[in-house]
Amino acid sequence: MHLLFPSDPFAAASPDEAYAEEYDAMRMSGVQCSLFCFEEFEAGRFKAKPAIPPNAEVVYRGWMMTPDAYVKLSSAVASAGATLRTSPDEYRHCHYLPEWYASCQEFTPETRFFARDSNFAVELADANWPGYFVKDYVKSLTTARGSVAASIHEVGEIVSLIEQYRGQVEGGVCVRRLESLLPETEERYFVIDGHAFARDGVVPQVVRDIATRVSSPFFSVDMVQAEGGDLRLIELGDGQVSDRKKWPAARFAQVLSAGK
């Protein structure tokens, strides 16, 4: 395995500050790492330093990118004679909520999917949910307004704000049934080759079940406790672009490098 991190925009020989601790932990674990300039990559140029070894299995750890951009990264890595461990199809599967929803539907809030220009009030007229959580295929609205709509008439407002603050609605619109959840109980797990891992070593059975249903070599699973006590799946993500959250860098490096 060979790790690929974004470099510091002002110091090409160093990892971006957001990934510096993890970069150091991975190298201490004996994993070879390369850096590349993310800004140059976005401009159509890719150069890893040190060069990625031929036939290496590469794991990217860096900023979120669209599925189309990930295809370009896959091609760039392939041009070095190496392969991304996660294929573009696998990346898209975990990155876009509609891709994984059917396989995990029983564990996660009911969700409906719409095009950006849909008439949400009409399309959701029969839902009669206690509330509506609105996001695009990837992210929710993180401003003070938040992503919760008390009525269907507020859904369009939130979609417009997502577009305003993020520059686009990526993929389409997801409207999720609002459930009574305890946000302070949120925990992130990582799944590697079908095996689930926790920062404290304790993996709930429901996370193990989810791990067997998703076709990807490396992804994250975000769980939160409902007021009734059950654990609910609130998000799945490609592991390469999922931050560690509460995970210590050393623990993350141990799991990713050795799978234990």
Side-chain angles (χ1 to χ4, degrees):
M1 181 175 62
H2 192 94
L3 267 289
L4 181 63
F5 289 92
S7 61
D8 186 316
F10 306 104
S14 300
D16 189 285
E17 182 180 4
Y19 296 95
E21 186 180 12
E22 187 177 314
Y23 173 83
D24 290 339
M26 294 304 305
R27 294 183 72 192
M28 289 183 65
S29 296
V31 178
Q32 290 185 318
C33 302
S34 291
L35 301 173
F36 76 107
C37 178
F38 194 84
E39 290 73 22
E40 287 186 359
F41 167 71
E42 289 185 312
R45 301 183 299 274
F46 176 85
K47 186 175 183 180
K49 300 179 181 179
I52 299 171
N55 302 316
E57 183 182 64
V58 177
V59 175
Y60 167 62
R61 279 294 294 164
W63 306 116
M64 194 174 288
M65 57 179 68
T66 65
D68 286 345
Y70 190 81
V71 169
K72 294 178 182 178
L73 180 64
S74 179
S75 296
V77 170
S79 69
T83 306
L84 280 171
R85 184 174 184 175
T86 300
S87 72
D89 285 346
E90 291 166 336
Y91 177 85
R92 182 187 180 93
H93 184 74
C94 290
H95 192 58
Y96 278 176
L97 196 157
E99 298 277 337
W100 58 260
Y101 177 72
S103 62
C104 299
Q105 190 169 350
E106 68 195 82
F107 305 118
T108 198
E110 183 180 351
T111 307
R112 298 187 185 182
F113 308 106
F114 303 99
R116 165 64 184 91
D117 58 355
S118 297
N119 186 326
F120 303 107
V122 171
E123 297 286 352
L124 290 163
D126 65 329
N128 196 29
W129 293 345
Y132 308 81
F133 188 87
V134 185
K135 56 176 292 186
D136 66 15
Y137 282 10
V138 181
K139 287 186 175 181
S140 56
L141 182 65
T142 55
T143 66
R145 166 62 180 85
S147 267
V148 175
S151 72
I152 56 176
H153 303 290
E154 296 178 12
V155 172
E157 170 200 347
I158 296 174
V159 173
S160 295
L161 288 172
I162 290 173
E163 193 167 43
Q164 175 184 337
Y165 286 104
R166 295 187 55 213
Q168 66 172 335
V169 171
E170 186 172 344
V173 177
C174 306
V175 182
R176 315 198 76 190
R177 181 188 179 101
L178 192 66
E179 297 186 358
S180 297
L181 305 174
L182 305 174
E184 68 275 11
T185 66
E186 183 178 341
E187 189 69 45
R188 171 159 289 178
Y189 303 88
F190 284 96
V191 177
I192 302 171
D193 294 331
H195 300 285
F197 298 91
R199 63 186 176 95
D200 61 0
V202 180
V203 180
Q205 183 58 49
V206 63
V207 178
R208 298 183 192 277
D209 292 341
I210 292 168
T212 66
R213 299 189 179 198
V214 178
S215 178
S216 172
F218 180 35
F219 61 97
S220 62
V221 179
D222 291 347
M223 304 295 294
V224 66
Q225 185 177 327
E227 287 188 353
D230 291 339
L231 286 178
R232 299 291 284 161
L233 170 63
I234 55 171
E235 195 64 82
L236 221 64
D238 181 79
Q240 300 172 108
V241 297
S242 299
D243 65 40
R244 301 191 322 270
K245 290 202 171 180
K246 301 174 186 176
W247 282 63
R251 169 62 177 159
F252 182 79
Q254 175 194 37
V255 165
L256 187 55
S257 63
K260 61 182 180 181

